Amino acid sequence: MSLQARLMSAVIGFVSLILVIVAVITSATLGATLETQLAVRLNSYSSQVTQWVSQIPAQYATIDNILDTHNANVPGLLLAVSSTEGGTSGVVFPDTRGEWGGVSQALDDADLQRIDAALGGEPRGTVVLQDFGSYMVVAQKAANGANVVTGLPRADIQNQLTTLLTVIVLATIGGLILLALTTAITIRVSLRPLRAVAATATRVANQPLDRGEVQITERVPASEADPRTETGLVGASLNKLLDHVNSSLAARQKNEERMRRFVADASHELRTPLASIRGYSELSLRALGQQQGAAAIEGTTTSLERIQAQSLRMTRLVEDLLLLARLDEGRELVYGTVDLTQLALEGLSDARPTAVDHDWSIEVPDEPIVVMGDAGRMHQVVANLLANARTHTPAGTEITLSVSREGGDAVLRVHDDGPGIDPSVREELFARFARADTSRARQTGGTGLGLAIAKAIVEGHGGRITVSSEPGDTTFTVRIPISPGAATDAAEA
């Protein structure tokens, strides 16, 4: 069953049960009230008739004698008198609203026996007479010893209860029909946001999401996504989910593009040394086949030297890629105490001879700044940042390496007054194989992995690396937590 059908069934079922209970209670209460009123009237008639019988000697206490001396023509009244001398007799006065026509009718022996059986020695009872219907009867003993039975018909009570039940049934049926219509309309309107959610989900499900650039534009209408209502909250939640899925798909597409670019860049970087190795190996084989003696040895030696150089270049690239993979897995770092001040001094000393046409300077505090980390990898960070500054700035550029403590962080900065970083590549600066020079000439940079490795190492220490750049003012900033706990927790994470 649908949710609408289940809700309607539950509502109509509960309301029907409540109406039935109300009908039963109302009928029982009204019946008891009418029975009480009838009993009061009957007691009054019974007392009066008993007084009439008490005024007559027992041998003359018969129905005929009572009716001759008293007017007992009450519509529907039942009278019966029983005495030892006068015997047993009874009559029923006609109900003028019925079909008896105003003539009293005597009770036969079968009716009198039914009355006696209904009383069963009790002063009050209810009897059903074959020709006259149901009666409430009361028995009293007169002063002269005669037994007097007085009764009134229960037809009015039954008619009123029948009318009441008929009205209740008709009102219940009409009310349930009206309830079903209003409930169906209310539920249909209330469930409209769910249908909007289903329609939106169906349209999204029909879109191809497994490949290519995907943009999910389908949303549940704002009118059906009001979070203040339960059903509207479902629509709002679906919209939030679709926003998240859309951003995730965009991130997936971006990662795929980055991976394709990564594979293309790695292939490009490996193709050049492989081509060189293949070319020089062919030259060596040709020289050995065509030349002999010293000329062959000289040609082969030159080729082997170039093969070795290209092999070392390719080895460095593979090692850098392997290092990045291990850093991504949280491996490779060996923690110990690292004096950043000493590390900066050593890094600048190594970098200065590689670019004597640059102006180098260092700013370090008098007291050493010690952090928990991997000394070798932190030295690699400093070397990569200094090499990056040296490679991408012209001769005469001033490069300043500084170390300081700011709060709970050790801060290392590499500043230069060179031309700055092109804003178009600044966002991808720390990506793997990211290079401002798309031609990838050896003269303008390396493989493009230096800053990616530096970023991975810094983040492995629980720190972060940022860059700010404009013409004449470029600064790379590395922040490493001084607290050993922070660095350890970051490494474990």
Side-chain angles (χ1 to χ4, degrees), residues 295-327:
I297 295 175
E298 181 179 357
T300 302
T301 300
T302 302
S303 297
L304 291 176
E305 289 176 350
R306 298 305 305 161
I307 290 175
Q308 182 183 28
Q310 296 299 327
S311 299
L312 292 175
R313 175 186 170 188
M314 193 164 53
T315 300
R316 286 193 299 270
L317 175 61
V318 173
E319 288 178 348
D320 287 344
L321 292 174
L322 182 61
L323 173 60
L324 285 172
R326 290 177 175 175
L327 290 173

PDB file of all heavy atoms in Angstrom, residues 295-327:
ATOM      1  N   ALA A 295      89.038   4.546 -31.368  1.00  0.00           N
ATOM      2  CA  ALA A 295      87.878   5.331 -31.808  1.00  0.00           C
ATOM      3  C   ALA A 295      86.584   4.719 -31.298  1.00  0.00           C
ATOM      4  O   ALA A 295      85.660   5.410 -30.861  1.00  0.00           O
ATOM      5  CB  ALA A 295      87.856   5.422 -33.332  1.00  0.00           C
ATOM      6  N   ALA A 296      86.489   3.388 -31.348  1.00  0.00           N
ATOM      7  CA  ALA A 296      85.284   2.715 -30.853  1.00  0.00           C
ATOM      8  C   ALA A 296      85.136   2.901 -29.369  1.00  0.00           C
ATOM      9  O   ALA A 296      84.029   3.145 -28.855  1.00  0.00           O
ATOM     10  CB  ALA A 296      85.337   1.229 -31.209  1.00  0.00           C
ATOM     11  N   ILE A 297      86.252   2.797 -28.645  1.00  0.00           N
ATOM     12  CA  ILE A 297      86.187   2.963 -27.179  1.00  0.00           C
ATOM     13  C   ILE A 297      85.787   4.382 -26.825  1.00  0.00           C
ATOM     14  O   ILE A 297      84.961   4.621 -25.938  1.00  0.00           O
ATOM     15  CB  ILE A 297      87.551   2.600 -26.562  1.00  0.00           C
ATOM     16  CG1 ILE A 297      87.835   1.101 -26.787  1.00  0.00           C
ATOM     17  CG2 ILE A 297      87.576   2.953 -25.083  1.00  0.00           C
ATOM     18  CD1 ILE A 297      89.209   0.668 -26.320  1.00  0.00           C
ATOM     19  N   GLU A 298      86.335   5.359 -27.543  1.00  0.00           N
ATOM     20  CA  GLU A 298      86.007   6.753 -27.235  1.00  0.00           C
ATOM     21  C   GLU A 298      84.533   7.052 -27.495  1.00  0.00           C
ATOM     22  O   GLU A 298      83.846   7.683 -26.690  1.00  0.00           O
ATOM     23  CB  GLU A 298      86.889   7.671 -28.090  1.00  0.00           C
ATOM     24  CG  GLU A 298      86.639   9.154 -27.814  1.00  0.00           C
ATOM     25  CD  GLU A 298      87.537  10.041 -28.667  1.00  0.00           C
ATOM     26  OE1 GLU A 298      88.370   9.482 -29.406  1.00  0.00           O
ATOM     27  OE2 GLU A 298      87.385  11.285 -28.582  1.00  0.00           O
ATOM     28  N   GLY A 299      84.003   6.591 -28.658  1.00  0.00           N
ATOM     29  CA  GLY A 299      82.588   6.825 -28.968  1.00  0.00           C
ATOM     30  C   GLY A 299      81.673   6.128 -27.990  1.00  0.00           C
ATOM     31  O   GLY A 299      80.646   6.670 -27.554  1.00  0.00           O
ATOM     32  N   THR A 300      82.039   4.907 -27.630  1.00  0.00           N
ATOM     33  CA  THR A 300      81.211   4.148 -26.696  1.00  0.00           C
ATOM     34  C   THR A 300      81.232   4.782 -25.311  1.00  0.00           C
ATOM     35  O   THR A 300      80.214   4.853 -24.616  1.00  0.00           O
ATOM     36  CB  THR A 300      81.695   2.700 -26.620  1.00  0.00           C
ATOM     37  OG1 THR A 300      81.656   2.121 -27.927  1.00  0.00           O
ATOM     38  CG2 THR A 300      80.819   1.883 -25.688  1.00  0.00           C
ATOM     39  N   THR A 301      82.375   5.261 -24.903  1.00  0.00           N
ATOM     40  CA  THR A 301      82.498   5.892 -23.574  1.00  0.00           C
ATOM     41  C   THR A 301      81.618   7.120 -23.489  1.00  0.00           C
ATOM     42  O   THR A 301      80.914   7.343 -22.491  1.00  0.00           O
ATOM     43  CB  THR A 301      83.958   6.260 -23.310  1.00  0.00           C
ATOM     44  OG1 THR A 301      84.762   5.082 -23.354  1.00  0.00           O
ATOM     45  CG2 THR A 301      84.103   6.928 -21.945  1.00  0.00           C
ATOM     46  N   THR A 302      81.632   7.959 -24.540  1.00  0.00           N
ATOM     47  CA  THR A 302      80.784   9.165 -24.542  1.00  0.00           C
ATOM     48  C   THR A 302      79.303   8.800 -24.453  1.00  0.00           C
ATOM     49  O   THR A 302      78.527   9.414 -23.705  1.00  0.00           O
ATOM     50  CB  THR A 302      81.050   9.983 -25.805  1.00  0.00           C
ATOM     51  OG1 THR A 302      82.441  10.325 -25.869  1.00  0.00           O
ATOM     52  CG2 THR A 302      80.204  11.241 -25.816  1.00  0.00           C
ATOM     53  N   SER A 303      78.929   7.782 -25.219  1.00  0.00           N
ATOM     54  CA  SER A 303      77.513   7.369 -25.197  1.00  0.00           C
ATOM     55  C   SER A 303      77.123   6.832 -23.825  1.00  0.00           C
ATOM     56  O   SER A 303      76.031   7.127 -23.298  1.00  0.00           O
ATOM     57  CB  SER A 303      77.264   6.301 -26.266  1.00  0.00           C
ATOM     58  OG  SER A 303      77.497   6.815 -27.558  1.00  0.00           O
ATOM     59  N   LEU A 304      78.023   6.047 -23.226  1.00  0.00           N
ATOM     60  CA  LEU A 304      77.703   5.488 -21.905  1.00  0.00           C
ATOM     61  C   LEU A 304      77.607   6.585 -20.844  1.00  0.00           C
ATOM     62  O   LEU A 304      76.789   6.494 -19.919  1.00  0.00           O
ATOM     63  CB  LEU A 304      78.756   4.451 -21.510  1.00  0.00           C
ATOM     64  CG  LEU A 304      78.742   3.148 -22.328  1.00  0.00           C
ATOM     65  CD1 LEU A 304      79.897   2.236 -21.899  1.00  0.00           C
ATOM     66  CD2 LEU A 304      77.405   2.428 -22.144  1.00  0.00           C
ATOM     67  N   GLU A 305      78.445   7.623 -20.983  1.00  0.00           N
ATOM     68  CA  GLU A 305      78.349   8.733 -20.043  1.00  0.00           C
ATOM     69  C   GLU A 305      76.998   9.431 -20.168  1.00  0.00           C
ATOM     70  O   GLU A 305      76.371   9.800 -19.170  1.00  0.00           O
ATOM     71  CB  GLU A 305      79.492   9.723 -20.297  1.00  0.00           C
ATOM     72  CG  GLU A 305      80.843   9.191 -19.884  1.00  0.00           C
ATOM     73  CD  GLU A 305      81.970  10.152 -20.246  1.00  0.00           C
ATOM     74  OE1 GLU A 305      81.676  11.132 -20.991  1.00  0.00           O
ATOM     75  OE2 GLU A 305      83.124   9.938 -19.796  1.00  0.00           O
ATOM     76  N   ARG A 306      76.523   9.638 -21.399  1.00  0.00           N
ATOM     77  CA  ARG A 306      75.223  10.272 -21.586  1.00  0.00           C
ATOM     78  C   ARG A 306      74.081   9.361 -21.104  1.00  0.00           C
ATOM     79  O   ARG A 306      73.099   9.817 -20.519  1.00  0.00           O
ATOM     80  CB  ARG A 306      75.006  10.604 -23.076  1.00  0.00           C
ATOM     81  CG  ARG A 306      76.008  11.579 -23.648  1.00  0.00           C
ATOM     82  CD  ARG A 306      76.032  12.855 -22.829  1.00  0.00           C
ATOM     83  NE  ARG A 306      74.696  13.450 -22.729  1.00  0.00           N
ATOM     84  CZ  ARG A 306      74.363  14.332 -21.809  1.00  0.00           C
ATOM     85  NH1 ARG A 306      75.246  14.707 -20.889  1.00  0.00           N
ATOM     86  NH2 ARG A 306      73.140  14.835 -21.808  1.00  0.00           N
ATOM     87  N   ILE A 307      74.261   8.057 -21.349  1.00  0.00           N
ATOM     88  CA  ILE A 307      73.254   7.106 -20.846  1.00  0.00           C
ATOM     89  C   ILE A 307      73.201   7.153 -19.327  1.00  0.00           C
ATOM     90  O   ILE A 307      72.123   7.145 -18.719  1.00  0.00           O
ATOM     91  CB  ILE A 307      73.580   5.689 -21.354  1.00  0.00           C
ATOM     92  CG1 ILE A 307      73.326   5.597 -22.861  1.00  0.00           C
ATOM     93  CG2 ILE A 307      72.745   4.643 -20.612  1.00  0.00           C
ATOM     94  CD1 ILE A 307      73.742   4.273 -23.471  1.00  0.00           C
ATOM     95  N   GLN A 308      74.363   7.231 -18.703  1.00  0.00           N
ATOM     96  CA  GLN A 308      74.397   7.291 -17.237  1.00  0.00           C
ATOM     97  C   GLN A 308      73.737   8.574 -16.730  1.00  0.00           C
ATOM     98  O   GLN A 308      72.975   8.553 -15.759  1.00  0.00           O
ATOM     99  CB  GLN A 308      75.842   7.209 -16.757  1.00  0.00           C
ATOM    100  CG  GLN A 308      75.945   7.215 -15.236  1.00  0.00           C
ATOM    101  CD  GLN A 308      77.386   7.203 -14.753  1.00  0.00           C
ATOM    102  OE1 GLN A 308      78.285   7.690 -15.461  1.00  0.00           O
ATOM    103  NE2 GLN A 308      77.630   6.644 -13.585  1.00  0.00           N
ATOM    104  N   ALA A 309      74.010   9.704 -17.391  1.00  0.00           N
ATOM    105  CA  ALA A 309      73.413  10.970 -16.963  1.00  0.00           C
ATOM    106  C   ALA A 309      71.883  10.926 -17.077  1.00  0.00           C
ATOM    107  O   ALA A 309      71.153  11.361 -16.183  1.00  0.00           O
ATOM    108  CB  ALA A 309      73.991  12.115 -17.795  1.00  0.00           C
ATOM    109  N   GLN A 310      71.405  10.386 -18.196  1.00  0.00           N
ATOM    110  CA  GLN A 310      69.955  10.301 -18.368  1.00  0.00           C
ATOM    111  C   GLN A 310      69.345   9.301 -17.389  1.00  0.00           C
ATOM    112  O   GLN A 310      68.211   9.487 -16.896  1.00  0.00           O
ATOM    113  CB  GLN A 310      69.608   9.911 -19.810  1.00  0.00           C
ATOM    114  CG  GLN A 310      70.013  10.936 -20.849  1.00  0.00           C
ATOM    115  CD  GLN A 310      69.327  12.277 -20.629  1.00  0.00           C
ATOM    116  OE1 GLN A 310      68.185  12.353 -20.173  1.00  0.00           O
ATOM    117  NE2 GLN A 310      70.063  13.355 -20.933  1.00  0.00           N
ATOM    118  N   SER A 311      70.073   8.245 -17.065  1.00  0.00           N
ATOM    119  CA  SER A 311      69.587   7.271 -16.086  1.00  0.00           C
ATOM    120  C   SER A 311      69.471   7.906 -14.708  1.00  0.00           C
ATOM    121  O   SER A 311      68.509   7.661 -13.972  1.00  0.00           O
ATOM    122  CB  SER A 311      70.515   6.055 -16.033  1.00  0.00           C
ATOM    123  OG  SER A 311      70.558   5.401 -17.279  1.00  0.00           O
ATOM    124  N   LEU A 312      70.492   8.720 -14.354  1.00  0.00           N
ATOM    125  CA  LEU A 312      70.423   9.401 -13.062  1.00  0.00           C
ATOM    126  C   LEU A 312      69.251  10.377 -13.019  1.00  0.00           C
ATOM    127  O   LEU A 312      68.562  10.498 -11.995  1.00  0.00           O
ATOM    128  CB  LEU A 312      71.745  10.143 -12.811  1.00  0.00           C
ATOM    129  CG  LEU A 312      72.971   9.256 -12.586  1.00  0.00           C
ATOM    130  CD1 LEU A 312      74.236  10.118 -12.470  1.00  0.00           C
ATOM    131  CD2 LEU A 312      72.788   8.425 -11.323  1.00  0.00           C
ATOM    132  N   ARG A 313      69.047  11.070 -14.136  1.00  0.00           N
ATOM    133  CA  ARG A 313      67.912  11.998 -14.196  1.00  0.00           C
ATOM    134  C   ARG A 313      66.597  11.253 -14.020  1.00  0.00           C
ATOM    135  O   ARG A 313      65.711  11.682 -13.276  1.00  0.00           O
ATOM    136  CB  ARG A 313      67.946  12.735 -15.536  1.00  0.00           C
ATOM    137  CG  ARG A 313      66.741  13.652 -15.764  1.00  0.00           C
ATOM    138  CD  ARG A 313      66.778  14.227 -17.164  1.00  0.00           C
ATOM    139  NE  ARG A 313      65.537  14.912 -17.501  1.00  0.00           N
ATOM    140  CZ  ARG A 313      65.242  15.364 -18.705  1.00  0.00           C
ATOM    141  NH1 ARG A 313      66.124  15.215 -19.702  1.00  0.00           N
ATOM    142  NH2 ARG A 313      64.075  15.959 -18.922  1.00  0.00           N
ATOM    143  N   MET A 314      66.466  10.125 -14.708  1.00  0.00           N
ATOM    144  CA  MET A 314      65.244   9.342 -14.603  1.00  0.00           C
ATOM    145  C   MET A 314      65.101   8.741 -13.203  1.00  0.00           C
ATOM    146  O   MET A 314      63.992   8.648 -12.664  1.00  0.00           O
ATOM    147  CB  MET A 314      65.260   8.232 -15.667  1.00  0.00           C
ATOM    148  CG  MET A 314      63.923   7.544 -15.864  1.00  0.00           C
ATOM    149  SD  MET A 314      63.866   6.600 -17.398  1.00  0.00           S
ATOM    150  CE  MET A 314      65.330   5.585 -17.248  1.00  0.00           C
ATOM    151  N   THR A 315      66.214   8.363 -12.601  1.00  0.00           N
ATOM    152  CA  THR A 315      66.189   7.814 -11.241  1.00  0.00           C
ATOM    153  C   THR A 315      65.702   8.856 -10.241  1.00  0.00           C
ATOM    154  O   THR A 315      64.898   8.566  -9.341  1.00  0.00           O
ATOM    155  CB  THR A 315      67.576   7.301 -10.855  1.00  0.00           C
ATOM    156  OG1 THR A 315      67.969   6.275 -11.764  1.00  0.00           O
ATOM    157  CG2 THR A 315      67.569   6.744  -9.433  1.00  0.00           C
ATOM    158  N   ARG A 316      66.193  10.095 -10.399  1.00  0.00           N
ATOM    159  CA  ARG A 316      65.750  11.162  -9.495  1.00  0.00           C
ATOM    160  C   ARG A 316      64.250  11.385  -9.630  1.00  0.00           C
ATOM    161  O   ARG A 316      63.544  11.602  -8.630  1.00  0.00           O
ATOM    162  CB  ARG A 316      66.527  12.446  -9.790  1.00  0.00           C
ATOM    163  CG  ARG A 316      67.958  12.433  -9.309  1.00  0.00           C
ATOM    164  CD  ARG A 316      68.557  13.834  -9.341  1.00  0.00           C
ATOM    165  NE  ARG A 316      68.571  14.390 -10.694  1.00  0.00           N
ATOM    166  CZ  ARG A 316      69.579  14.243 -11.548  1.00  0.00           C
ATOM    167  NH1 ARG A 316      70.650  13.537 -11.185  1.00  0.00           N
ATOM    168  NH2 ARG A 316      69.531  14.775 -12.755  1.00  0.00           N
ATOM    169  N   LEU A 317      63.744  11.352 -10.860  1.00  0.00           N
ATOM    170  CA  LEU A 317      62.309  11.552 -11.072  1.00  0.00           C
ATOM    171  C   LEU A 317      61.502  10.438 -10.415  1.00  0.00           C
ATOM    172  O   LEU A 317      60.515  10.692  -9.720  1.00  0.00           O
ATOM    173  CB  LEU A 317      62.021  11.609 -12.574  1.00  0.00           C
ATOM    174  CG  LEU A 317      60.536  11.697 -12.972  1.00  0.00           C
ATOM    175  CD1 LEU A 317      59.919  12.964 -12.408  1.00  0.00           C
ATOM    176  CD2 LEU A 317      60.401  11.660 -14.491  1.00  0.00           C
ATOM    177  N   VAL A 318      61.933   9.201 -10.618  1.00  0.00           N
ATOM    178  CA  VAL A 318      61.214   8.067 -10.023  1.00  0.00           C
ATOM    179  C   VAL A 318      61.295   8.121  -8.502  1.00  0.00           C
ATOM    180  O   VAL A 318      60.308   7.831  -7.800  1.00  0.00           O
ATOM    181  CB  VAL A 318      61.771   6.744 -10.577  1.00  0.00           C
ATOM    182  CG1 VAL A 318      61.157   5.555  -9.849  1.00  0.00           C
ATOM    183  CG2 VAL A 318      61.510   6.633 -12.072  1.00  0.00           C
ATOM    184  N   GLU A 319      62.452   8.498  -7.974  1.00  0.00           N
ATOM    185  CA  GLU A 319      62.581   8.602  -6.515  1.00  0.00           C
ATOM    186  C   GLU A 319      61.675   9.697  -5.952  1.00  0.00           C
ATOM    187  O   GLU A 319      61.082   9.530  -4.874  1.00  0.00           O
ATOM    188  CB  GLU A 319      64.040   8.863  -6.147  1.00  0.00           C
ATOM    189  CG  GLU A 319      64.938   7.651  -6.350  1.00  0.00           C
ATOM    190  CD  GLU A 319      66.393   7.954  -6.022  1.00  0.00           C
ATOM    191  OE1 GLU A 319      66.696   9.174  -5.863  1.00  0.00           O
ATOM    192  OE2 GLU A 319      67.199   7.020  -5.936  1.00  0.00           O
ATOM    193  N   ASP A 320      61.578  10.816  -6.686  1.00  0.00           N
ATOM    194  CA  ASP A 320      60.675  11.877  -6.229  1.00  0.00           C
ATOM    195  C   ASP A 320      59.215  11.407  -6.224  1.00  0.00           C
ATOM    196  O   ASP A 320      58.465  11.675  -5.281  1.00  0.00           O
ATOM    197  CB  ASP A 320      60.818  13.105  -7.131  1.00  0.00           C
ATOM    198  CG  ASP A 320      62.123  13.842  -6.882  1.00  0.00           C
ATOM    199  OD1 ASP A 320      62.746  13.589  -5.833  1.00  0.00           O
ATOM    200  OD2 ASP A 320      62.508  14.666  -7.738  1.00  0.00           O
ATOM    201  N   LEU A 321      58.832  10.696  -7.284  1.00  0.00           N
ATOM    202  CA  LEU A 321      57.466  10.174  -7.336  1.00  0.00           C
ATOM    203  C   LEU A 321      57.226   9.155  -6.221  1.00  0.00           C
ATOM    204  O   LEU A 321      56.153   9.139  -5.594  1.00  0.00           O
ATOM    205  CB  LEU A 321      57.202   9.533  -8.699  1.00  0.00           C
ATOM    206  CG  LEU A 321      57.147  10.494  -9.895  1.00  0.00           C
ATOM    207  CD1 LEU A 321      57.019   9.700 -11.195  1.00  0.00           C
ATOM    208  CD2 LEU A 321      55.989  11.461  -9.758  1.00  0.00           C
ATOM    209  N   LEU A 322      58.202   8.304  -5.969  1.00  0.00           N
ATOM    210  CA  LEU A 322      58.077   7.327  -4.894  1.00  0.00           C
ATOM    211  C   LEU A 322      57.995   8.009  -3.530  1.00  0.00           C
ATOM    212  O   LEU A 322      57.222   7.595  -2.656  1.00  0.00           O
ATOM    213  CB  LEU A 322      59.260   6.350  -4.949  1.00  0.00           C
ATOM    214  CG  LEU A 322      59.255   5.224  -3.896  1.00  0.00           C
ATOM    215  CD1 LEU A 322      58.020   4.353  -4.073  1.00  0.00           C
ATOM    216  CD2 LEU A 322      60.522   4.383  -4.019  1.00  0.00           C
ATOM    217  N   LEU A 323      58.758   9.078  -3.358  1.00  0.00           N
ATOM    218  CA  LEU A 323      58.715   9.825  -2.101  1.00  0.00           C
ATOM    219  C   LEU A 323      57.332  10.432  -1.882  1.00  0.00           C
ATOM    220  O   LEU A 323      56.776  10.363  -0.776  1.00  0.00           O
ATOM    221  CB  LEU A 323      59.783  10.927  -2.119  1.00  0.00           C
ATOM    222  CG  LEU A 323      59.749  11.904  -0.932  1.00  0.00           C
ATOM    223  CD1 LEU A 323      59.959  11.178   0.379  1.00  0.00           C
ATOM    224  CD2 LEU A 323      60.793  13.003  -1.126  1.00  0.00           C
ATOM    225  N   LEU A 324      56.782  11.026  -2.930  1.00  0.00           N
ATOM    226  CA  LEU A 324      55.437  11.596  -2.804  1.00  0.00           C
ATOM    227  C   LEU A 324      54.420  10.523  -2.448  1.00  0.00           C
ATOM    228  O   LEU A 324      53.525  10.749  -1.620  1.00  0.00           O
ATOM    229  CB  LEU A 324      55.046  12.281  -4.120  1.00  0.00           C
ATOM    230  CG  LEU A 324      55.705  13.633  -4.388  1.00  0.00           C
ATOM    231  CD1 LEU A 324      55.380  14.095  -5.802  1.00  0.00           C
ATOM    232  CD2 LEU A 324      55.236  14.676  -3.375  1.00  0.00           C
ATOM    233  N   ALA A 325      54.512   9.356  -3.075  1.00  0.00           N
ATOM    234  CA  ALA A 325      53.570   8.276  -2.776  1.00  0.00           C
ATOM    235  C   ALA A 325      53.694   7.838  -1.325  1.00  0.00           C
ATOM    236  O   ALA A 325      52.683   7.607  -0.642  1.00  0.00           O
ATOM    237  CB  ALA A 325      53.814   7.104  -3.716  1.00  0.00           C
ATOM    238  N   ARG A 326      54.928   7.737  -0.823  1.00  0.00           N
ATOM    239  CA  ARG A 326      55.114   7.316   0.572  1.00  0.00           C
ATOM    240  C   ARG A 326      54.639   8.388   1.542  1.00  0.00           C
ATOM    241  O   ARG A 326      54.074   8.079   2.594  1.00  0.00           O
ATOM    242  CB  ARG A 326      56.587   6.991   0.811  1.00  0.00           C
ATOM    243  CG  ARG A 326      57.044   5.715   0.098  1.00  0.00           C
ATOM    244  CD  ARG A 326      58.527   5.476   0.295  1.00  0.00           C
ATOM    245  NE  ARG A 326      58.946   4.203  -0.293  1.00  0.00           N
ATOM    246  CZ  ARG A 326      60.199   3.790  -0.356  1.00  0.00           C
ATOM    247  NH1 ARG A 326      61.172   4.569   0.112  1.00  0.00           N
ATOM    248  NH2 ARG A 326      60.474   2.616  -0.890  1.00  0.00           N
ATOM    249  N   LEU A 327      54.865   9.645   1.186  1.00  0.00           N
ATOM    250  CA  LEU A 327      54.370  10.720   2.052  1.00  0.00           C
ATOM    251  C   LEU A 327      52.851  10.753   2.084  1.00  0.00           C
ATOM    252  O   LEU A 327      52.237  11.034   3.121  1.00  0.00           O
ATOM    253  CB  LEU A 327      54.918  12.071   1.572  1.00  0.00           C
ATOM    254  CG  LEU A 327      56.423  12.289   1.785  1.00  0.00           C
ATOM    255  CD1 LEU A 327      56.862  13.583   1.127  1.00  0.00           C
ATOM    256  CD2 LEU A 327      56.759  12.315   3.275  1.00  0.00           C
TER     257      LEU A 327
END
